[in-house]
Amino acid sequence: PIYALEGAVAVAGTAMQWLRDNLQLATSATKLAHLAQSTQGDNGGVYFVPAFNGLFAPHWDASARGSIYGLTSYATKAHLCRAALEAVAFQLDDLLSSFDIRPKLLKVDGGMTVNADLLQFCADIMQITVMKPKNLETTAAGAALAASLSFFQDNKKYSLEYIRRSSWQLDQNFLPALADKARTHLKHKWQEAVARSRGWEIDILPTTQRSASSVASLVLLASEEQDNAQQYYRKRSTSLQHQPRYDHDSFFPFFRIISVASVLLLASSILVASGAGRRRGH
């Protein structure tokens, strides 16, 4: 038997349409692709989470909204186009990471597969071989060929296997080429951007989920700030070779306790405020 795993992503290629029509960064998808290509693989530190209608699989968070992070005076519209393309690959990687199995090959089709930069970035982020066919409209062709089976029922050679072999032809393979350190950094920043985009449209969630979503975001941010501070002080201690040292490992458990206590105190304030709001509503 053959099984299929499906993942629903709300916004992928339509993010490019949004850049074209709503922001009017270019007059066509081709020009947007050229803008993205002009960055030579550099997103300028910009990350675009296209959660216009919330996050679908694997996050399933209706409170998330579209967000752009990492903007500086260095960023241009080309970097924003690049970030929108990268968001497609990041979302695909999120889907594959949620499966129990990790495929070695990924066959792609559709209009966006004409963009070689996108397919290469998919291969780099997901660490798998991406296969581009000669016929990019594989879905439409497969439906038509499958329908034609009813007209050739008497022909024993004309089968689904025959259609599969004859209709799909490889045009180009895209192999992973990104260094592990660079890939890990990009994926970490993407996950941070996704986490920050969640919980924005908080009023659409039940009260209990509102509090839980807020607390989860606070814990994530407190943990990241603690890790950053810990790395800073350890590097500083290493550089001060001629000064008295102290044991940082004994200090940071206390720092962790203070951070967690602050988050819990703030979380309790959120819960109290939520309860007060319900009583005023009644």
Side-chain angles (χ1 to χ4, degrees), residues 96-162:
L96 291 183
S97 299
S98 68
F99 295 159
D100 293 333
I101 58 175
R102 187 76 175 185
K104 297 180 179 179
L105 301 173
L106 179 67
K107 292 183 177 180
V108 298
D109 70 288
M112 292 197 74
T113 56
V114 299
N115 192 314
D117 285 343
L118 170 62
L119 299 186
Q120 182 59 56
F121 191 72
C122 286
D124 289 339
I125 287 298
M126 293 183 281
Q127 281 292 285
I128 59 177
T129 300
V130 175
M131 304 174 69
K132 174 187 174 183
K134 292 183 177 180
N135 180 9
L136 300 182
E137 301 300 334
T138 306
T139 303
L145 290 169
S148 67
L149 283 173
S150 60
F151 295 96
F152 298 95
Q153 293 181 356
D154 297 333
N155 189 339
K156 295 182 180 180
K157 292 183 179 180
Y158 201 83
S159 62
L160 286 174
E161 181 61 24
Y162 171 79

Side-chain angles (χ1 to χ4, degrees), residues 221-252:
L221 294 176
S223 176
E224 291 176 351
E225 293 299 329
Q226 174 190 336
D227 291 340
N228 293 337
Q230 189 170 359
Q231 292 177 10
Y232 167 78
Y233 282 113
R234 282 180 173 166
K235 288 181 180 179
R236 185 172 181 273
S237 175
T238 302
S239 64
L240 300 178
Q241 298 179 359
H242 302 291
Q243 297 184 14
R245 301 193 179 194
Y246 51 91
D247 187 0
H248 293 85
D249 291 328
S250 62
F251 168 74
F252 281 105

Side-chain angles (χ1 to χ4, degrees), residues 62-73:
S63 70
R65 285 296 178 267
S67 311
I68 300 173
Y69 298 97
L71 289 177
T72 64
S73 59

